[in-house]
């Protein structure tokens, strides 16, 4: 603090806290002045009484001067604030209905905004719990020849070794792939998910274990890799956070693994979708293991299934790093002797994690902010309506010497008082609605589980309350102080009416409210239409009356595919016996559960394997298509007798792409390269949406499960069961069938196929429901606003209207006049809202499906809804006055 | 004697600082000194002196101390601080520049333009 500022502070402090001393000193000082002056006058020959009067006259109004002195030292600041506060509370008590409406709508607006902000705070603003996350990049690989089918792939282990030894742009590079294990010896046996990665993974991320250590460099080598690091939640749920677990062994897939570390509770690993297409991490990770692979076995173009995470060196730009990587990629392509063009891609990890959710969340935040603005506009309008009552009061205060700034301060104190009270309630609203949000929110929203009301959110709520109060308080305060006091005092209370300018202001506020509601409604309508279009999309299969059971076979009990097949067949036989079951069939991955077994279709005679289309391979038992309701287009389904032959069914789009204009049945192709046996196409089935409803169908190949499909690591599979009646009744019988074959096999999921479909649109449904909610709230707030303004204005014009009627005006004519007055700002707001939605439409186009932002039907629907609601809000006050007796209205004056 | 001049807006603070710079004064003394130096040609409303004094003290340009007046009464004496001295100096320079510029403009004859 500088000396001058310190002096000012001390002066203010003394003035405020040692007020009595300051007052008595001030008295003494002024008295001394006047007395000395009057003595002087007496010495000049003036009679004492006259001298005293003259002195005090020339001095000026002592009280006014004292007040100015207090102001000069800032002594009045706290004092007048407390005065304003007391006065504000008294005013609000005198208008309890107004205060209640104001506080409740504010609580709603501030609460909803705070709740949305805390979601944004957790998902978008709180950084990854990694060290310097902006330096972390995903490395993905691209193969130009396959770019038309797959723009990019996860990393390949062989490439990783080259990058690690040659690339100078990164501090370190780590790779990790998803693995599943069966945990035994800790309660019921169950499947757990983890990541198997290079020993430096945690070091690259910059994460320290909360207990124990990270992996050692030589634990990457095969034989040394029987160590695991557990995530905090897994340690808590399965080992009761027992710290003595460090150094002890747990049993995974029948092998014992030593626990060397526990990750901190804040640790999160990016989800599969965030690591890019074709990576397959589950939603929750339980453990990490070292790679444990012999580098000598890595091929230069092997399986592209590792997430590669690299930490950029300080001072190196991502462009430099990418250029260096691409040089290495070109060498790899040359050395592999394949005719491929390898590229590398660098994706910033942080924006990958929050990227997909960003737009949707910002939309929600924008929606809720628009609602809050409407709340503000409504309150400003209500306050403006109260101006006539306030004018006399403020005129008297002005006449008594209150300054204009003091009046503004007093009115602002009142509105801030309202908004802070609303804000307190709003925090309660936010707390309750967050609870619901987290409970009903889709699991796909990253880090939704971390949403909470922290200091930052509370600070935001407080600031928001203050700003809200200032926003809706400024306009009315400005109006009041702009009024000439003697005008208001001259006229009586009855005629101190709303003047034309105030009404114009209130009408523009209505226009704004209608515009904001229209915009919100159009967005809500577009999102709803998108969801309905999406759900109406032909999935290609039928989800009704279908149950699915996902199982994972313990690896140690089922080391050979033939043993798996025995399990699947036994369960199938039992299930087919169950009453009510019409069809049942196994598949290795359900629709909407992502891509798997991605491989080329090399038609017989095709020369360049790189030009071959890439398909998702599925392994099925014969009845699968009937169970899932996928129609047969050509040829036949598989039969038991096909188990020893190389046959497959293809989806329609495979037929169109590989054998256009030919009969695909009977054609032959290699599954992958031409080193694989030829497979014969025996039938064509309909296309299905395999990844998500909003993604076009992928190419699908369905092979008969059995020993022919020996490259399928078939530990995961799903049984699809079609029922003649309510499928839920079958659930227990299905569970029993799996148990009776092998009770050690964990059932991962047992759900209806319709739930699988519903889950795939959960994020959209969440966004849509919230925006619809905000839009409806906005519309009802706006209609209350319209009603309020018009009802008030009709009330004010009651004598005038009575006079007009007495002079012979038609009721219908007067009603039309009132309606026109009310609807004019609505029409302007409607046009403005539609215009804004057309301009802003491009921002939300990525959230839409099957509808454009300028969809005329949606806009027409919204226009109709807004007009209907606004007409109703105008008609009610219009009708009420018309029913009044003209004589009564005149007498009222 | 001419009719006394009204004080130019914003000059009272400067006059007070100047008066106090010549030696500690109480409020009434400030008034007397300004009138004495100006030979009664300035009209200052007596009361308006005090808010100005309080403002200057609040800024830390003057300090006050209770002492004994010429007629043996308790009175509050004001004194210039170091910051006040700098302030007065700055104000004087500004004032001189201002009067020079304005005098220059007002003294311009048609043929000089």
């Amino acid at each position: 603090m500088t000396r001058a500022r310190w002096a000012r502070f001390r002066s203010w402090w003394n003035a405020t806290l040692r007020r009595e001393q300051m007052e008595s000193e001030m008295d003494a000082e002024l008295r001394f002045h006047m007395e000395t002056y009057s003595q002087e006058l007496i010495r000049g020959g003036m009679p004492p009484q006259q001298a005293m009067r003259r002195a005090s006259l020339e001095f000026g109004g002592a009280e006014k001067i004292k007040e100015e002195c207090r102001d000069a030292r800032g002594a009045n600041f706290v004092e007048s604030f407390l005065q304003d506060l007391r006065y504000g509370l008294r005013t609000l008590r005198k208008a309890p209905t107004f205060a209640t409406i104001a506080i409740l709508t504010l609580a709603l607006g501030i609460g909803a905004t705070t709740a949305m902000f805390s979601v944004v705070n957790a998902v978008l603003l709180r950084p990854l719990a990694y060290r310097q996350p902006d330096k972390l990049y995903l490395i993905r690989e691209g193969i130009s020849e396959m770019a038309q089918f797959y723009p990019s792939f996860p990393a390949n282990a062989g490439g990783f070794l080259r990058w690690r030894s040659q690339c100078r742009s990164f501090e370190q590079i780590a790779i990790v792939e998803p693995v599943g294990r069966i945990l035994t010896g800790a309660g019921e046996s169950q499947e757990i998910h983890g990541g198997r990665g290079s020993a430096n993974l945690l070091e690259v991320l910059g994460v320290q274990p909360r207990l124990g250590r990270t992996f050692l460099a030589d634990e990457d080598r095969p034989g040394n890799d029987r160590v695991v690091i557990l995530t905090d939640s897994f340690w808590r749920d399965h080992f009761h956070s027992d710290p003595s677990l460090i150094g002890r062994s747990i049993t995974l897939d029948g092998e014992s693994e030593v626990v060397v570390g526990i990750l901190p509770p804040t640790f999160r690993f990016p989800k599969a979708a965030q690591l890019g297409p074709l990576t397959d991490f589950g939603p929750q990770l339980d453990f990490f293991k070292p790679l444990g692979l012999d580098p000598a076995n890595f091929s230069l173009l092997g399986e592209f299934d590792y997430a590669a995470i690299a930490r950029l060196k300080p001072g190196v730009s991502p462009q430099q790093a990418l250029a260096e990587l691409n040089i290495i990629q070109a060498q790899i392509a040359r050395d592999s002797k394949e005719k491929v063009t390898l590229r590398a891609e660098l994706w910033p990890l942080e924006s990958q994690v929050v990227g997909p959710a960003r737009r949707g969340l910002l939309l929600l935040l924008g929606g809720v902010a628009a609602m809050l603005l409407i709340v503000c506009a409504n309150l400003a309008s209500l306050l403006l309506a109260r101006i006539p009552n306030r004018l006399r009061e403020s005129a008297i205060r002005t006449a008594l010497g209150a300054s204009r700034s003091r009046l503004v301060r007093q009115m602002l104190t009142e509105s801030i008082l309202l908004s802070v009270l609303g804000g307190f309630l709003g925090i309660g609203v936010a707390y309750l609605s967050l609870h619901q949000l987290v409970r009903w929110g889709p699991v796909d929203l990253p880090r939704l589980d971390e949403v909470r009301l922290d200091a930052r959110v509370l600070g935001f709520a407080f600031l928001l309350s203050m700003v809200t109060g200032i926003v809706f308080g400024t306009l009315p305060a400005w109006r009041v102080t702009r009024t000439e006091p003697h005008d208001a005092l001259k006229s009586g209370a009855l005629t101190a009416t709303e003047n034309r300018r105030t009404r114009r202001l209130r009408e523009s506020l209505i226009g704004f409210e209608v515009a904001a509601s229209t915009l919100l409604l159009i967005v809500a309508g577009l999102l709803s239409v998108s969801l309905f279009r999406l759900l109406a999309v032909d999935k290609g299969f039928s989800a009704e009356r279908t149950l699915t059971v996902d199982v994972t076979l313990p690896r140690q009990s089922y080391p050979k595919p033939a043993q798996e097949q025995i399990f699947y067949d036994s369960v199938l036989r039992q299930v087919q016996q169950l009453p009510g079951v019409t069809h049942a069939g196994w598949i290795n991955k359900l629709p909407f559960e992502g891509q798997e077994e991605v491989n080329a279709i090399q038609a017989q005679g095709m020369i360049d394997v790189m030009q071959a289309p890439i398909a998702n391979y599925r392994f099925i038992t014969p009845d699968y298509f009937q169970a899932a309701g996928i129609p047969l287009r050509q040829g036949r389904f598989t039969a038991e007798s096909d188990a020893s032959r190389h046959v497959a069914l293809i989806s329609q789009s495979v037929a169109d792409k590989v054998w256009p204009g030919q009969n695909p049945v009977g054609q032959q192709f290699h599954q992958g390269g031409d080193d694989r046996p030829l497979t014969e196409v025996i039938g064509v089935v309909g296309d299905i949406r395999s990844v998500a409803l909003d993604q076009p169908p992928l190419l699908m190949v369905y092979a008969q499960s059995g020993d022919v499909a020996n490259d399928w690591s078939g530990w995961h599979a799903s049984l699809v069961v079609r029922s003649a009646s309510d499928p839920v009744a079958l659930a227990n019988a299905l569970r029993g069938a799996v148990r009776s074959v092998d009770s050690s096999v964990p059932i991962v999921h047992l759900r209806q196929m319709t739930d699988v479909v519903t889950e795939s649109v959960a994020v959209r449904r969440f966004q849509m429901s919230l925006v619809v909610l905000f839009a409806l709230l906005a519309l009802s707030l706006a209609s209350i606003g319209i009603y309020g303004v018009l009802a008030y204005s009709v009330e004010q014009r009651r004598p005038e209207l009575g006079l007009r009627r007495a002079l012979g005006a038609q009721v219908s004519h007067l009603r039309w006049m009132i309606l026109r007055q009310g609807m004019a700002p609505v029409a302007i707001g409607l046009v403005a809202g539609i215009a804004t939605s057309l301009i802003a439409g491009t921002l939300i186009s990525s959230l839409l499906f099957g509808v454009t932002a300028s969809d005329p039907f949606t806009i027409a629907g919204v226009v109709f809804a807004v007009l209907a609601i606004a007409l109703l809000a105008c008609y009610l006050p219009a009708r009420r006055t018309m029913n009044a007796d003209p004589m009564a209205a005149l007498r009222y004056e | 004697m001419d009719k006394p001049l009204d004080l130019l807006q914003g000059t009272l603070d400067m006059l007070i600082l100047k008066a106090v710079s010549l030696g500690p004064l109480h409020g009434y003394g400030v008034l007397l000194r300004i009138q004495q130096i100006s030979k009664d040609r300035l009209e200052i409303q007596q009361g308006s002196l005090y808010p100005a004094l309080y403002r200057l003290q609040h800024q830390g340009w003057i300090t006050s101390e209770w002492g004994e007046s010429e007629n043996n009464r308790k009175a509050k004496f004001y004194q210039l601080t170091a910051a006040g001295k700098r302030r007065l100096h700055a104000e004087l320079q500004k004032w001189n520049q201002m009067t020079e510029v304005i005098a220059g403009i007002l003294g311009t004859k048609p043929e000089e333009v």
Side-chain angles (χ1 to χ4, degrees):
Chain A
M1 209 186 283
T2 64
R3 273 244 299 280
R5 202 169 295 169
W6 171 243
R8 272 201 292 279
F9 176 73
R10 211 176 44 189
S11 155
W12 173 80
W13 184 258
N14 286 340
T16 309
L17 293 185
R18 291 160 63 189
R19 196 170 177 108
E20 263 166 41
Q21 193 190 342
M22 190 193 89
E23 287 290 322
S24 72
E25 284 188 11
M26 198 158 64
D27 267 348
E29 192 176 8
L30 300 189
R31 211 167 43 236
F32 168 79
H33 182 117
M34 280 186 265
E35 284 172 11
T36 315
Y37 183 47
S38 70
Q39 274 168 14
E40 197 130 312
L41 292 173
I42 293 168
R43 263 207 304 280
M46 200 176 275
Q49 273 188 345
Q50 199 186 340
M52 201 63 218
R53 204 165 49 240
R54 173 82 184 277
S56 109
L57 208 65
E58 280 194 36
F59 190 81
E63 279 314 309
K64 185 164 166 282
I65 285 164
K66 279 189 197 169
E67 188 67 17
E68 282 176 33
C69 287
R70 290 185 203 111
D71 268 341
R73 292 185 61 177
N76 275 335
F77 186 73
V78 174
E79 180 83 355
S80 61
F81 172 70
L82 289 176
Q83 237 174 43
D84 290 347
L85 209 59
R86 273 196 300 273
Y87 187 81
L89 277 172
R90 212 159 51 224
T91 322
L92 292 185
R93 259 210 307 274
K94 273 192 289 185
T97 331
F98 166 74
T100 314
I101 292 176
I103 290 173
L104 286 184
T105 50
L106 278 168
L108 189 71
I110 294 175
T113 313
T114 304
M116 263 344 285
F117 176 78
S118 48
V119 174
V120 169
N121 177 41
V123 178
L124 299 186
L125 301 183
R126 216 183 297 157
L128 286 169
Y130 302 152
R131 179 169 57 87
Q132 287 188 303
D134 54 316
K135 291 276 176 209
L136 290 175
Y137 285 83
L138 280 177
I139 305 178
R140 307 255 315 166
E141 301 197 54
I143 301 171
S144 305
E145 288 76 7
M146 294 168 130
Q148 56 172 319
F149 305 111
Y150 288 98
S152 79
F153 291 89
N156 167 40
F160 159 67
L161 289 181
R162 288 278 186 100
W163 304 334
R164 191 165 67 174
S165 60
Q166 296 177 10
C167 193
R168 301 270 158 264
S169 303
F170 299 104
E171 275 179 13
Q172 288 201 60
I173 306 173
I175 55 170
V176 55
E177 65 166 348
V179 285
R181 291 284 189 268
I182 305 290
L183 171 74
T184 48
E188 212 174 318
S189 76
Q190 71 177 114
E191 186 187 22
I192 62 174
H193 302 276
R196 190 166 68 170
S198 51
N200 62 350
L201 175 66
L202 294 177
E203 215 177 308
V204 170
L205 297 179
V207 174
Q208 284 293 321
R210 64 178 291 183
L211 282 178
R213 59 170 174 86
T214 51
F215 296 125
L216 308 173
D218 70 336
E219 283 170 339
D220 257 353
R221 269 183 285 145
N224 284 356
D225 62 334
R226 297 256 164 264
V227 287
V228 285
I229 291 178
L230 307 182
T231 61
D232 181 77
S233 58
F234 179 66
W235 179 54
R236 195 178 55 227
D237 295 348
H238 290 82
F239 301 100
H240 316 292
S241 302
D242 177 9
S244 72
L245 191 68
I246 300 286
R248 296 215 321 254
S249 295
I250 60 173
T251 310
L252 298 183
D253 277 3
E255 309 253 12
S256 71
E257 311 250 4
V258 181
V259 178
V260 296
I262 308 290
L263 289 168
T266 52
F267 176 82
R268 294 288 182 281
F269 197 71
K271 301 206 160 76
Q274 298 158 358
L275 294 171
L278 304 177
T279 36
D280 206 18
F281 281 93
Q284 189 198 331
L285 289 194
D286 305 315
F287 68 93
F288 282 92
K289 278 188 64 53
L291 211 48
L293 295 176
D294 188 355
N297 294 341
F298 292 168
S299 71
L300 280 179
L301 292 175
E303 287 89 44
F304 290 85
D305 46 21
Y306 289 92
I309 302 172
R311 182 174 284 282
L312 211 57
K313 269 189 191 156
V316 178
S317 74
Q319 290 76 15
Q320 287 168 300
L322 186 60
E324 196 189 2
L325 273 178
N326 273 328
I327 294 172
I328 302 173
Q329 291 292 77
Q331 278 169 6
I332 294 176
R334 263 200 308 280
D335 295 349
S336 73
K337 310 218 163 42
E338 298 270 2
K339 275 193 180 160
V340 291
T341 315
L342 268 187
R343 290 174 292 108
E345 290 179 7
L346 277 184
W347 297 8
L349 186 63
E350 202 171 23
S351 60
Q352 272 307 110
V353 170
V354 294
R358 182 187 296 268
R359 189 149 289 200
L361 277 182
L362 291 183
L363 171 76
L364 290 180
L365 195 63
V368 87
M371 198 183 89
L372 183 62
L373 277 178
I374 293 176
V375 169
C376 284
N378 245 351
L379 289 182
S381 176
L382 276 176
L383 283 176
L384 282 173
R386 285 158 46 81
I387 280 184
N389 308 331
R390 301 300 295 269
L391 278 180
R392 280 175 61 77
E393 165 211 320
S394 72
I396 292 170
R397 285 165 63 101
T398 314
L400 288 179
S403 66
R404 179 169 288 183
S405 71
R406 183 68 208 280
L407 272 184
V408 169
R409 209 158 64 199
Q410 190 257 316
M411 287 201 65
L412 277 182
T413 307
E414 217 174 294
S415 60
I416 292 174
L417 178 70
L418 275 177
S419 68
V420 168
L421 287 176
F424 269 115
L425 270 183
I427 289 173
V429 171
Y431 180 80
L432 292 178
S433 47
L434 261 190
H435 201 69
Q436 299 299 317
L437 271 181
V438 174
R439 197 156 136 218
W440 299 108
V443 281
D444 307 39
L445 205 57
R447 289 182 282 178
L448 190 64
D449 47 337
E450 292 167 44
V451 171
R452 57 172 186 268
L453 292 176
D454 60 8
R456 191 180 332 186
V457 172
L458 291 180
F460 172 83
F462 181 71
L463 213 72
L464 189 68
S465 309
M466 300 295 284
V467 171
T468 307
I470 293 171
V471 166
F472 76 74
T474 305
L475 202 58
W478 174 75
R479 272 308 298 149
V480 162
T481 53
R482 285 280 306 247
T483 310
E484 284 302 322
H486 64 267
D487 284 348
L489 283 178
K490 210 164 51 188
S491 48
L494 271 176
T495 44
T497 52
E498 188 178 44
N499 68 20
R500 179 178 291 269
R501 220 176 289 158
T502 310
R503 209 183 72 208
R504 281 268 174 278
L505 265 182
R506 296 191 72 193
E507 283 174 354
S508 357
L509 285 173
I510 291 299
F512 166 78
E513 288 181 43
V514 171
S517 318
T518 306
L519 179 61
L520 267 180
L521 280 170
I522 290 177
V523 172
L526 290 174
L527 290 179
S528 313
V529 171
S530 296
L531 185 63
F532 289 126
R533 294 259 160 89
L534 199 56
L535 287 174
V537 153
D538 180 16
K539 299 182 283 294
F541 58 92
S542 115
E544 285 71 38
R545 288 189 285 105
T546 315
L547 269 189
T548 68
V549 189
D550 303 344
V551 295
T552 304
L553 301 187
R555 205 162 293 203
Q556 73 274 22
S557 336
Y558 295 88
K560 287 186 190 145
Q563 289 163 313
E564 296 159 16
Q565 199 59 47
I566 291 170
F567 171 84
Y568 294 139
D569 288 345
S570 320
V571 173
L572 196 55
R573 260 194 302 280
Q574 291 225 13
V575 169
Q576 279 164 339
Q577 306 295 313
L578 292 174
V581 172
T582 56
H583 295 282
W586 287 98
I587 186 164
N588 56 331
K589 200 164 188 100
L590 288 174
F592 295 160
E593 298 276 82
Q595 303 203 36
E596 194 163 278
E597 299 291 332
V598 178
N599 220 330
I601 303 175
Q602 195 182 1
Q604 197 180 15
M606 182 181 272
I607 295 151
D608 187 1
V609 68
M610 285 303 166
Q611 292 299 323
I614 308 281
N616 268 254
Y617 282 75
R618 294 288 180 270
F619 303 98
I620 51 150
T621 57
D623 258 4
Y624 168 76
F625 295 107
Q626 289 100 321
I630 300 174
L632 183 70
R633 300 257 189 257
Q634 257 181 296
R636 62 173 179 88
F637 288 133
T638 55
E640 294 287 348
S641 57
D642 291 324
S644 55
R645 299 174 53 212
H646 300 296
V647 297
L649 286 101
I650 55 174
S651 63
Q652 186 68 51
S653 47
V654 174
D656 298 342
K657 184 147 222 141
V658 184
W659 296 283
Q662 304 171 47
N663 182 4
V665 176
Q667 303 278 5
Q668 294 193 309
F669 66 96
H670 299 281
Q671 301 184 15
D674 51 13
D675 53 328
R676 311 288 296 278
L678 278 171
T679 304
E680 184 189 334
V681 176
I682 57 166
V684 179
V685 290
D687 280 324
I688 63 158
R689 305 248 155 179
S690 12
V691 183
L693 275 176
D694 54 0
Q695 310 262 322
L698 295 173
L699 304 183
M700 303 293 291
V701 174
Y702 301 93
Q704 172 85 312
S705 99
D707 44 9
V708 170
N710 53 10
D711 64 337
W712 172 34
S713 49
W715 290 296
H716 303 270
S718 302
L719 180 63
V720 179
V721 181
R722 179 162 293 272
S723 154
S725 52
D726 181 16
V728 180
L730 277 174
N732 277 329
L734 280 178
R735 208 183 285 272
V738 174
R739 286 269 156 78
S740 73
V741 175
D742 184 347
S743 65
S744 75
V745 170
I747 293 176
V748 185
H749 284 123
L750 200 163
R751 44 192 177 156
Q752 301 190 57
M753 196 62 208
T754 46
D755 292 339
V756 178
V757 177
T758 311
E759 273 166 38
S760 75
V761 293
V763 174
R764 277 181 187 276
R765 195 183 294 271
F766 178 71
Q767 272 168 8
M768 183 210 77
S769 328
L770 283 184
V771 175
V772 167
L773 179 72
F774 297 155
L776 291 181
L777 284 173
L779 183 62
S780 39
L781 285 170
S783 58
I784 292 172
I786 296 169
Y787 175 83
V789 168
L790 208 62
Y792 188 81
S793 149
V794 165
E795 193 68 23
Q796 294 286 319
R797 294 171 69 180
R798 195 198 272 276
E800 174 210 323
L801 294 170
L803 193 61
R804 282 171 185 256
R805 266 199 84 180
L807 292 176
Q810 292 291 316
V811 173
S812 61
H813 177 77
L814 291 183
R815 193 176 290 166
W816 171 238
M817 187 181 79
I818 296 287
L819 277 185
R820 210 172 43 198
Q821 182 204 332
M823 290 305 283
V826 171
I828 293 171
L830 206 53
V831 171
I834 292 170
T836 320
S837 84
L838 291 178
I839 295 165
T842 49
L843 292 177
I844 60 159
S845 56
S846 67
L847 300 171
L848 302 181
F849 178 86
V851 62
T852 58
S854 57
D855 181 46
F857 295 103
T858 308
I859 294 177
V862 168
V863 168
F864 181 76
V866 171
L867 280 181
I869 296 281
L871 268 177
L872 187 68
C874 290
Y875 182 72
L876 290 178
R879 199 190 54 173
R880 215 179 43 194
T881 355
M882 290 312 125
N883 294 343
D885 172 20
M887 286 323 290
L890 280 175
R891 262 201 307 276
Y892 188 63
E893 177 73 316
Chain B
M1 194 179 77
D2 297 334
K3 191 168 171 268
L5 296 164
D6 274 337
L7 208 52
L8 267 177
Q9 190 119 34
T11 49
L12 181 59
D13 285 11
M14 190 170 53
L15 293 184
I16 294 175
L17 286 178
K18 179 68 194 175
V20 173
S21 77
L22 303 172
L25 286 172
H26 50 67
Y28 185 60
V30 172
L31 183 77
L32 289 183
R33 180 160 294 171
I34 293 175
Q35 283 176 342
Q36 171 213 339
I37 300 174
S38 76
K39 304 200 174 64
D40 286 335
R41 283 190 305 174
L42 269 183
E43 171 86 31
I44 298 177
Q45 208 222 357
Q46 303 191 8
S48 68
L49 208 55
Y50 288 88
L53 280 168
Y54 274 67
R55 193 164 53 240
L56 292 172
Q57 190 178 6
H58 187 68
Q59 302 290 348
W61 294 328
I62 54 177
T63 55
S64 66
E65 209 174 2
W66 286 90
E68 195 125 313
S69 73
E70 320 72 79
N71 53 2
N72 300 326
R73 290 193 44 181
K74 254 167 70 82
K76 203 168 167 193
F77 284 88
Y78 293 93
Q79 199 171 353
L80 206 62
T81 64
K85 224 173 251 168
R86 285 195 296 277
R87 175 76 188 181
L88 177 61
H89 186 69
E91 293 266 334
L92 271 178
Q93 276 193 324
K94 220 169 75 187
W95 176 256
N96 286 336
Q97 282 171 2
M98 180 68 88
T99 46
E100 204 176 304
V101 170
I102 292 181
I105 294 172
L106 298 182
T108 312
K109 297 185 178 71
E111 59 268 26
E112 284 172 338
V113 180

